[in-house]
Each structure stands twice: as C-alpha cells, then as structure tokens.
Amino acid sequence: MKIILSPNSGFCFGVKRAVDKVYKAIDTRDDIYTLGPIIHNPQVVGDLADKGVNILKNIDDIEDGTVVIRSHGIGHTEYENLKFKNLDLIDATCPYVKRIHKIVQKHWNMGYDIIVIGEADHPEVMGINGWCNNESHVIYSANDIENLPNIDRACVVAQTTILQSKWDDLVAKLHTNIKDLKVFNTRCNATHIRQEAAKQLAAKVDIMIVIGGKNSSNTHKLYQLCKERCENTFAIESAKDINKNMLDAGEIVGVTAGASTPIWLIEEVVETMES
C-alpha cells in the first residue's frame, strides 16, 4: 500500500497562531479560558482541558482570569464587554478574519448593507455579523439571494473557508440584483491552496482519507471536494476511526487534513494505516 500526504495539510497559519498562544499562556498564567473551543478539533481542545484550560460559553460567567479569543473571532459588543470587565485578554483572532471585521465595520458605518457569503451558524460568520450590529444578510445559496430585500448598495465578504465555486456563483448573481456592489473576496488563500491540492490528489488515488473534527467547516468542504473525485473517500477524526474495510478498495491512499488538524494527529493516522 502506498500512502500519499497532500501538501498543505493540517494547521493553517491562523489556527497554529491561536493554539500557540494558548499553550504559551499555560506556562505563565492561571485560570485560562477560551471563549468557545479555540479551534474545531476535539483532540487539541481535550489536551488543553487536561492542562487546565476552560471553555467559556458566556462572558457573564467570568469576573477575573485570562480569556483567549479563539481564531474564529467575536463580535464588537462581545469584545467591548471583555475589555469593560478588565480581564487579561489574549486576542487570537486569525488576522485574515480580523481584516473582514474591519471591512464590515467600515462599510457599515458608511451606510452599506453587509452581505456575508457563508454559514449563518458558523462562529466565524456570527463574529463577522457582530461588526455590523448583527444586521448582515448571510447567504449560502441562490434561494437566499431571492429572499433578500431590495438593496441599493452593499458590501459583500466571504467566510474564509467558502469554496471558490460558490463564491463566484453567488457574487455573479448578486451583481444582477444590486447596482452598487462592493466585492471583497476574503476567502483564505491557504484554504484555497489546501482544497486545490486535495482535489488533485483525490483524482489520482484509490482511497482518500480526510482528517478533521466533525464540527470543522473547512474539513467538511475538503470531504465534499474529494468525494466528487474519489468515491472511496472517508472522513475521520483520528487514527481510532481507521478500519481495514476502508483500505480494501485499492493500493494507493491519499491523505489530507483540515486546518484545525495538528501534525501529530496526521502522523498517527498514517502510522496506523502503514501498520
């Protein structure tokens, strides 16, 4: 059996930066909280919990300690509330997500309607919405565009992990409906590179393994892309999910992993398949 690891698999820049900030804080601070899971990976979150890091669900539940803002970012009101409480604050928001916040806030203040192409219940999109008074229009399909109110001018941004094809299609449709449309393609380039590499590999192998958390949006999109090109595509969270039946379909196995998957977990999966 031959195993091929797709380039650019695993931690992206923003996720690695956020996780590193939490591990560094463990060495110097007590009572550390992350506002929501730091990333969408249960193994990393579990390891941090074992080291005493708590997940904070509600800002009202804390009066002192260190709070780490996760890579997905938060809304303006939440950010101000944290500062008002005078907590020890570590902002691990991905810089690419932070850029979206600035674009949205600027154009909202200029009177533009804000349109976000993304998943409405995703933490990143919820955070973006918080920089325009939670009044953005979140769309994910052509039907969503048909249900938009009459808009004279709008600023459109993307959830960083949205597929390029979906972005292109929906922006083209928005142009036919809105006369004054300012377009900011805020998709993460690292995500695009990872997706393209996974697509190319999936087309060449007998079996494709996609590693990542079940709640990870970018991992789910990787699975979709690979499944379109390789019928024998399997989504797993860790080496424990590997079984012999997965590997019976051929001799060449491709492996890719979402942006929240650490390298040690990828190595465990590969070693398990090799053995």
Side-chain angles (χ1 to χ4, degrees), residues 40 119 122 159 161 213-222:
H40 282 155
E119 301 155 284
H122 192 279
Q159 180 182 337
T161 56
K214 292 179 181 178
N215 295 325
S216 168
S217 174
N218 75 84
T219 299
H220 180 64
K221 292 181 179 69
L222 277 176

Side-chain angles (χ1 to χ4, degrees), residues 3-4 7 39 46 75 77 80 85 94 142 160 166 178-179 183 189 192 225 231 236 240 249 253 264-265 268 275:
I3 300 173
I4 304 172
I39 58 172
T77 299
E80 291 300 315
K85 282 178 169 283
C94 172
T160 54
K166 181 176 287 291
I178 301 171
K179 184 177 181 180
V183 178
N189 190 53
H192 175 69
L225 290 170
E231 180 61 29
I236 66 170
K240 294 178 181 178
V253 182
W264 59 263
L265 199 154
E268 280 187 358
S275 64

Side-chain angles (χ1 to χ4, degrees), residues 1 23 142 206 217 242 250 252:
M1 182 175 65
Y23 279 107
D206 302 316
S217 174
I242 291 288
I252 305 176

Side-chain angles (χ1 to χ4, degrees), residues 10 20 27 42 54 62 85 87 98 113 145 149 153 162 173 187 229-230 268:
D20 286 349
D27 296 332
N54 302 291
I62 186 172
K85 282 178 169 283
L87 296 164
K98 183 76 78 174
D113 278 72
I145 295 178
R153 61 176 189 160
I162 284 296
K173 288 179 170 62
R187 293 180 66 257
R229 292 154 180 84
C230 178
E268 280 187 358

Side-chain angles (χ1 to χ4, degrees), residues 32-77:
I32 301 172
Y33 302 82
T34 62
L35 191 51
I38 189 67
I39 58 172
H40 282 155
N41 182 275
Q43 288 76 27
V44 173
V45 172
D47 184 60
L48 289 171
D50 291 341
K51 292 177 169 56
V53 177
N54 302 291
I55 297 176
L56 183 66
K57 295 182 179 180
N58 193 318
I59 296 172
D60 294 335
D61 295 336
I62 186 172
E63 294 301 327
D64 55 62
T66 297
V67 176
V68 183
I69 299 174
R70 58 182 172 174
S71 55
H72 299 102
I74 58 175
H76 182 260
T77 299

Side-chain angles (χ1 to χ4, degrees), residues 207-266:
I207 304 160
M208 194 71 189
I209 304 294
V210 182
I211 313 167
K214 292 179 181 178
N215 295 325
S216 168
S217 174
N218 75 84
T219 299
H220 180 64
K221 292 181 179 69
L222 277 176
Y223 173 80
Q224 288 179 307
L225 290 170
C226 292
K227 186 71 173 178
E228 291 171 2
R229 292 154 180 84
C230 178
E231 180 61 29
N232 299 307
T233 294
F234 303 94
I236 66 170
E237 279 198 347
S238 71
K240 294 178 181 178
D241 299 322
I242 291 288
N243 64 67
K244 187 178 181 299
N245 292 335
M246 290 181 181
L247 307 178
D248 285 342
E251 290 297 320
I252 305 176
V253 182
V255 178
T256 187
S260 297
T261 307
I263 188 62
W264 59 263
L265 199 154
I266 298 171

Side-chain angles (χ1 to χ4, degrees), residues 177-189:
N177 289 23
I178 301 171
K179 184 177 181 180
D180 183 1
L181 184 68
K182 296 198 72 171
V183 178
F184 294 90
N185 187 347
T186 53
R187 293 180 66 257
C188 175
N189 190 53

Side-chain angles (χ1 to χ4, degrees), residues 27-173:
D27 296 332
T28 57
R29 294 172 169 86
D30 298 318
D31 299 325
I32 301 172
Y33 302 82
T34 62
L35 191 51
I38 189 67
I39 58 172
H40 282 155
N41 182 275
Q43 288 76 27
V44 173
V45 172
D47 184 60
L48 289 171
D50 291 341
K51 292 177 169 56
V53 177
N54 302 291
I55 297 176
L56 183 66
K57 295 182 179 180
N58 193 318
I59 296 172
D60 294 335
D61 295 336
I62 186 172
E63 294 301 327
D64 55 62
T66 297
V67 176
V68 183
I69 299 174
R70 58 182 172 174
S71 55
H72 299 102
I74 58 175
H76 182 260
T77 299
E78 290 177 296
Y79 191 77
E80 291 300 315
N81 287 343
L82 285 171
K83 291 199 297 184
F84 178 78
K85 282 178 169 283
N86 202 31
L87 296 164
D88 184 12
L89 189 61
I90 299 175
D91 189 354
T93 304
C94 172
Y96 299 120
V97 175
K98 183 76 78 174
R99 173 175 172 260
I100 303 174
H101 294 172
K102 292 178 180 178
I103 291 170
V104 166
Q105 185 179 43
K106 175 183 176 180
H107 287 82
W108 173 254
N109 290 336
M110 292 169 63
Y112 283 81
D113 278 72
I114 304 298
I115 299 174
V116 183
I117 297 179
E119 301 155 284
D121 59 350
H122 192 279
E124 180 188 315
V125 173
M126 294 169 69
I128 293 169
N129 195 22
W131 292 86
C132 58
N133 200 34
N134 295 309
E135 295 182 25
S136 71
H137 307 282
V138 181
I139 64 172
Y140 198 69
S141 68
N143 287 337
D144 292 333
I145 295 178
E146 293 176 5
N147 293 326
L148 288 174
N150 291 328
I151 297 174
D152 293 324
R153 61 176 189 160
C155 164
V156 58
V157 297
Q159 180 182 337
T160 54
T161 56
I162 284 296
L163 295 176
Q164 183 69 49
S165 56
K166 181 176 287 291
W167 168 260
D168 292 339
D169 181 51
L170 295 183
V171 168
K173 288 179 170 62

